[in-house]
């Protein structure tokens, strides 16, 4: 029997929006539905502290919000092969992370391009912030099979911005294996190719903190109002001018979310020759987004009543169970323990 596991996660820094869906959740759902893997979806609450340590109320609320968002899009931790893991509640992961810090090269971590980019925005980064790539390696390898064999797989679906972290994690895994024998399984990155979804204000990517997101929890009227305010082709000043559909946020959303593919093609053709106005393409988009969000809203209503705590306890216990042997194997190889 080969081991096939998936681990991926999100930091719990606020409830989720359409950008999270297009960039991550859609892929996670496909993987879950493939029925080929045991899936671990991690709520990275410790790593949320790298940027939001001064907003404890937000962090507390976000754990609940993200869990509900995940449930409402259809991730299904009631299946025995799907686990929602709360990072801070897996003690063996924390220990693994500390052991990893002794293997990781300080200068290598500082060279990490994703970290460098983010460091530029932080005036007083914590030590934990710098350590983020190492800690993320512990997230991944906590569910590694110990002494993996051929055919085993540890799949990590992520966005493009996480690639540097996964490459780092794999260099670390190889280093551990070279030094201590075959302990962990280097991960198999699955990098999403979805273009970043622009915010409703165009330009920037969608982000709740910039106030340009359409959230999974928005009601139909809110979605409509946000869509009607969206940017379109800035050069098109009248509805009978030919317009651009490639970089036009309204059409980017149509292509990403409108299940009526014929309508999308038809609207694009008309738009390109100046035969349909912005208002109409927006009306159709608002309808399409609400069609997409309706089942998510329905599920959310149902799950608002379930006990999220029990759900996260059982997912975190599953992760702890897999992590302990990894941590113990490494601890032993590092000769950490009482004297004989
Ligand atoms: N760093 C990831 C992000 O910001 C979230 C994350 C934490 C993660 N731990 C992970 C992703 C482990 C993949 C694997 O999006």
């Amino acid at each position: 029997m080969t081991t096939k596991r998936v681990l991926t996660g999100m930091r719990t820094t606020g409830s989720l929006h359409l950008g999270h869906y297009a960039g991550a959740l859609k892929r996670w759902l496909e993987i879950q539905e493939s029925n080929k893997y045991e899936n671990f979806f991690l709520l990275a609450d410790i790593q949320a502290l790298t940027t939001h340590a001064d907003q404890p109320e937000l962090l507390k609320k976000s754990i609940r919000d993200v869990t509900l968002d995940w449930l409402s899009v259809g991730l299904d931790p009631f299946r025995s092969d799907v686990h929602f893991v709360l990072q801070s509640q897996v003690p063996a992961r924390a220990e693994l992370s500390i052991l990893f810090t002794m293997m990781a090269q300080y200068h290598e971590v500082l060279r990490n391009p994703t970290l460098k980019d983010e460091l530029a925005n932080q005036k007083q980064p914590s030590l934990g912030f710098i350590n983020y790539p190492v800690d993320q390696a512990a997230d991944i390898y906590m569910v590694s099979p110990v002494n993996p064999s051929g055919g085993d797989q540890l799949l990590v679906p992520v966005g493009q911005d996480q690639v540097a972290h996964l490459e780092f994690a794999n260099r670390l895994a190889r280093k551990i294996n070279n030094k201590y024998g075959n302990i962990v399984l280097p991960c198999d990155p699955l990098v999403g190719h979805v273009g970043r979804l622009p915010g409703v204000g165009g330009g920037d990517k969608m982000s709740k903190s910039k106030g340009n997101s359409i959230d999974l929890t928005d009601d139909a009227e809110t979605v409509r109002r946000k869509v009607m305010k969206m940017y379109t082709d800035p050069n098109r000043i009248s509805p009978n001018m030919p317009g651009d559909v490639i970089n036009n946020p309204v059409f980017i959303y149509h292509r990403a979310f409108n299940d009526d593919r014929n309508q999308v093609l038809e609207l694009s053709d008309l738009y390109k020759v100046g035969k349909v106005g912005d208002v109409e393409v927006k009306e159709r988009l608002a309808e399409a987004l609400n069609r997409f969000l309706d089942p998510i809203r329905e599920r959310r209503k149902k799950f608002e009543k379930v006990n999220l705590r029990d759900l996260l306890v059982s997912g975190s216990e599953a992760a702890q169970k897999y992590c302990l042997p990894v941590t113990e194997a490494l601890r032993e190889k590092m000769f950490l323990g009482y004297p004989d």
Side-chain angles (χ1 to χ4, degrees):
M1 268 293 277
T2 55
T3 304
K4 298 211 175 294
R5 294 185 189 142
V6 170
L7 184 129
T8 188
M10 285 182 186
R11 299 191 310 131
T12 49
T13 57
S15 60
L16 307 181
H17 51 61
L18 291 180
H20 293 108
Y21 187 89
L25 298 173
K26 184 167 188 250
R27 173 65 71 80
W28 298 9
L29 284 162
E30 285 164 9
I31 295 171
Q32 172 185 278
E33 294 314 316
S34 78
N35 295 322
K36 287 196 204 132
Y37 300 93
E38 181 167 11
N39 304 271
F40 293 84
F41 300 117
L42 179 77
L43 297 136
D45 60 341
I46 299 181
Q47 284 155 15
L49 294 168
T50 56
T51 51
H52 290 65
D54 55 350
Q55 296 172 67
E57 289 303 319
L58 172 92
L59 292 181
K60 180 158 188 254
K61 186 169 174 301
S62 296
I63 292 170
R64 186 182 168 78
D65 288 347
V66 173
T67 305
L68 271 176
D69 284 334
W70 285 2
L71 287 167
S72 27
V73 297
L75 294 177
D76 186 3
F78 300 98
R79 282 172 45 161
S80 60
D81 56 354
V82 178
H83 314 280
F84 286 3
V85 181
L86 187 57
Q87 189 180 41
S88 64
Q89 302 309 309
V90 187
R93 191 213 69 91
E95 183 180 352
L96 190 63
S97 183
I98 291 192
L99 301 183
F100 281 179
T101 62
M102 297 300 157
M103 297 293 295
Q105 280 297 313
Y106 179 69
H107 290 104
E108 183 184 2
V109 172
L110 290 184
R111 276 197 305 273
N112 180 308
T114 301
L115 193 74
K116 267 190 181 165
D117 282 356
E118 290 170 356
L119 263 177
N121 306 322
Q122 287 233 6
K123 282 191 234 43
Q124 298 280 1
S126 62
L127 192 53
F129 181 93
I130 315 285
N131 193 48
Y132 191 131
V134 180
D135 202 54
Q136 182 155 334
D139 293 340
I140 296 169
Y141 297 123
M142 78 173 159
V143 298
S144 167
V146 195
N147 305 129
S149 51
D152 288 351
Q153 195 188 7
L154 181 50
L155 188 72
V156 184
V158 286
Q160 188 64 43
D161 62 326
Q162 299 293 307
V163 171
H165 292 333
L166 301 196
E167 286 171 351
F168 169 81
N170 275 348
R171 284 196 299 276
L172 187 69
R174 283 192 290 270
K175 202 182 209 176
I176 290 168
N177 291 345
N178 281 337
K179 191 167 166 121
Y180 297 122
N182 181 30
I183 299 214
V184 289
L185 177 68
C187 71
D188 191 358
L190 182 64
V191 183
H193 296 292
V194 231
R196 281 197 166 158
L197 212 56
V200 290
D204 281 336
K205 73 165 178 165
M206 189 178 278
S207 132
K208 201 177 164 77
S209 59
K210 295 201 184 94
N212 68 5
S213 63
I214 294 177
D215 301 330
L216 298 178
T217 43
D218 282 345
D219 61 30
E221 194 37 48
T222 306
V223 169
R224 189 172 173 280
R225 186 172 41 78
K226 289 181 175 175
V227 169
M228 296 319 280
K229 282 197 311 207
M230 270 176 81
Y231 283 39
T232 54
D233 173 357
N235 298 318
R236 191 184 195 231
I237 44 182
S238 89
N240 41 29
M241 248 176 88
D244 168 49
V245 296
I246 302 298
N247 301 309
N248 184 325
V250 174
F251 278 96
I252 295 177
Y253 285 35
H254 263 300
R255 290 190 292 271
F257 292 102
N258 191 343
D259 58 353
D260 186 345
R261 307 318 285 174
N262 288 331
Q263 184 183 65
V264 178
L265 290 176
E266 207 176 305
L267 289 173
S268 305
D269 287 344
L270 292 172
Y271 199 85
K272 284 190 273 193
V273 294
K275 289 235 163 73
V276 62
D278 281 353
V279 173
E280 181 168 352
V281 291
K282 287 181 179 180
E283 291 284 6
R284 297 293 86 77
L285 178 62
E287 289 161 10
L289 291 180
N290 282 323
R291 275 201 304 282
F292 169 78
L293 287 169
D294 271 338
I296 295 177
R297 293 172 181 137
E298 282 304 307
R299 267 189 236 109
R300 187 178 201 93
K301 259 192 239 144
K302 191 172 104 200
F303 287 122
E304 263 163 0
K305 294 181 207 97
V306 314
N307 186 331
L308 299 185
R309 188 176 203 281
D310 289 353
L311 205 81
L312 297 182
V313 168
S314 93
S316 305
E317 282 174 353
Q320 170 75 3
K321 186 182 108 199
Y322 283 141
C323 186
L324 253 187
V326 181
T327 305
E328 278 168 356
L330 192 58
R331 199 201 284 144
E332 201 171 296
K333 295 284 183 185
M334 288 176 154
F335 296 116
L336 302 170
Y338 295 113
D340 298 332

